[in-house]
Amino acid sequence: MDQALYDHLGGRDAITAVVGGLYSRLLDDEEIAPAFAGIDMTRLRHHMTLFLSAALGSEAVYAGRDMATAHAGLQITDEMFDRTVAHLVAVLESVHVAPELIAQVLATIAPLRSEIVHGAAV
Ligand code: HEM
């Protein structure tokens, strides 16, 4: 992923704002919120900010767990994954990120589905 996408989105401050907006939507979504019960959200926001920054081409280093390990045991379904991605798109749209950049963000995240979704099979 090239640095251009991260810069286009507005760099670290923009990503921090997007992550804040994303988690407030996730916690307002009754299908999603239970997954976050008991989770330290300050730490999670920090990890997500670094993860997305690194995934979008910044030089930030993400040192958290890999996606399969981080989400193991949470019983995340395809529907929960889709809803989460839809919330992310809504946040990006709300800060007027261009559709072609949103498409690039989605292309970065889509391959993670198989690591994050565990259905009820744990
Ligand atoms: C859409 C793509 C997603 C990405 C890029 C993502 C990214 C991350 C990252 C970077 C972490 C931190 C890992 C760590 O602490 O080492 C994390 C943790 C977590 N994620 Fe996700 N996530 C995604 C989808 C989801 C979905 C769909 C859910 C549930 C509906 C979810 C629930 C959680 C929870 C509960 C944690 C905290 C786990 C813990 O601290 O034990 N994530 N995620």
Side-chain angles (χ1 to χ4, degrees):
M1 188 52 68
D2 59 312
Q3 170 92 29
L5 180 53
Y6 178 74
D7 289 339
H8 268 105
L9 287 171
R12 176 67 183 252
D13 288 348
I15 302 284
T16 301
V18 164
V19 170
L22 174 62
Y23 282 123
S24 81
R25 280 171 192 260
L26 293 177
L27 295 175
D28 271 348
D29 182 333
E30 59 189 25
E31 305 281 329
I32 301 280
F36 292 97
I39 299 293
D40 177 346
M41 294 307 286
T42 304
R43 178 181 154 279
L44 184 54
R45 264 195 294 272
H46 179 67
H47 277 184
M48 180 65 119
T49 302
L50 284 179
F51 179 86
L52 278 182
S53 298
L56 297 174
S58 89
E59 288 167 5
V61 176
Y62 170 70
R65 293 166 292 170
D66 66 83
M67 291 298 96
T69 306
H71 298 92
L74 293 173
Q75 306 197 352
I76 296 172
T77 61
D78 276 304
E79 196 207 341
M80 289 162 84
F81 186 89
D82 289 339
R83 289 175 81 96
T84 300
V85 170
H87 286 301
L88 177 60
V89 170
V91 174
L92 292 170
E93 286 174 350
S94 76
V95 294
H96 309 296
V97 173
E100 55 273 24
L101 289 181
I102 295 178
Q104 286 185 55
V105 172
L106 295 186
T108 305
I109 285 176
L112 302 174
R113 176 189 293 269
S114 61
E115 297 180 52
I116 289 173
V117 170
H118 296 276
V122 178

